[in-house]
Amino acid sequence: MEMPKHLPPLLALRAFEAVARHLSFIKAAQELCVSQSAISHQVQKLEQHLGQRLFVRRTRAIDLTASGARYYQEIRPALEQIAQATQALLAPTSGSVLRVGLLASFATLWLAPRLADFRRRYPQIELQLHPDINLADVAGAEVDLAIRYGKGHWPQVQAQRFLGERLSPVCSPDFKARALAQGPLLMSHAQQPFEWNDWGKHQAIDLGTYPSLMLHDYNIVVEAAVAGQGIAMGRGRLIQRHLAQGSLVDAFDLPPLCGDIGYWLVTAEGPRNPALECLVQWLLEQGRDP
């Protein structure tokens, strides 16, 4: 049985779907972990195959042409069906247990509210969370997956950044009104000073005059800041609820630092088993959501 003659190049089709969904070549490239030029090449390849333009390219924005919009609406359900079929095939058929090493703050403030979706989609996979301020030994099989916070560059493991962080010092409204100039800067043992160092260098602010207070865990840092005990380095991914409620506010009224600090999925070198692959892909998907 022959393949349909009008089937377009699938890599080009995937690139087109991502660009059409984001209306951005940059965001599509980030999602697919390729260069922007590679995405542009694949879209041009598809346009040549179809013999018509799919996007209107402007100086700072793009939009779908009428043909492109119609084509996107028609091919996206087919791509989703392919993804669902692949996911079902990869999913383990029997019960699996995955051990995940991570910081307690990330487990509490970001992962826990999302776990119901994972259990619904993968009821056959049991997650065992192992919160610890120390780095879990992935290479030594202490855990199957570690979610680490930092800049990457860990030896003898595979590390994939899946969630960027927005850093901005925060404090309680009352603390900002009365004692901002005195500090202290609240830090956790797991945090170390690299966040503050990067932020201070980016903003050209000398933080050496501020005293610091070292606490055990970032959860405690957040609660201490809410209680008016000092200035915490706000990790935007973890403190959204406090910012929305107004219990924490920007301490310095400066734009956040969006650098190379973020959350990384760390696994042992080599191929991943189907259950672990399901978890990794689910976390990547969650990381793309606002």
Side-chain angles (χ1 to χ4, degrees), residues 134-285:
N134 299 310
L135 295 180
D137 185 2
V138 177
E142 179 184 7
V143 295
D144 301 291
L145 170 75
I147 301 176
R148 293 182 181 174
Y149 180 66
K151 300 182 181 182
H153 312 300
W154 296 285
Q156 300 180 325
V157 293
Q158 298 182 86
Q160 181 177 7
R161 186 172 185 253
F162 83 105
L163 197 62
E165 190 52 283
R166 293 163 53 89
L167 300 177
S168 183
V170 294
C171 61
S172 70
D174 181 62
F175 185 88
K176 182 174 182 177
R178 61 180 170 81
L180 183 60
Q182 286 77 40
L185 307 182
L186 304 173
M187 302 183 185
S188 69
H189 289 295
Q191 176 187 28
Q192 301 178 355
F194 67 87
E195 291 177 321
W196 286 103
N197 290 343
D198 283 15
W199 185 87
K201 182 178 180 180
H202 177 73
Q203 303 290 359
I205 294 178
D206 180 11
L207 298 172
T209 59
Y210 286 84
S212 62
L213 177 61
M214 191 69 70
L215 302 171
H216 178 72
D217 177 80
Y218 188 71
N219 280 324
I220 304 174
V221 168
V222 171
E223 293 305 315
V226 171
Q229 300 302 308
I231 308 168
M233 179 54 72
R235 302 175 188 174
R237 299 283 188 176
L238 305 189
I239 63 170
Q240 291 179 356
R241 176 173 59 86
H242 289 291
L243 294 174
Q245 293 174 347
S247 54
L248 289 176
V249 297
D250 287 329
F252 296 102
D253 295 325
L254 292 170
L257 169 62
C258 301
D260 52 0
I261 297 175
Y263 304 91
W264 300 70
L265 303 179
V266 181
T267 57
E269 295 177 322
R272 297 189 283 247
N273 66 54
L276 182 55
E277 185 64 30
C278 287
L279 176 59
V280 168
Q281 293 304 318
W282 178 80
L283 285 167
L284 290 173
E285 177 186 317

Side-chain angles (χ1 to χ4, degrees), residues 74-107:
E74 291 174 349
I75 62 98
R76 187 176 183 186
L79 291 177
E80 289 178 346
Q81 187 175 358
I82 292 172
Q84 291 169 3
T86 304
Q87 178 179 295
L89 191 62
L90 288 173
T93 56
S94 57
S96 300
V97 177
L98 294 177
R99 298 157 300 164
V100 182
L102 72 176
L103 293 173
S105 55
F106 189 82

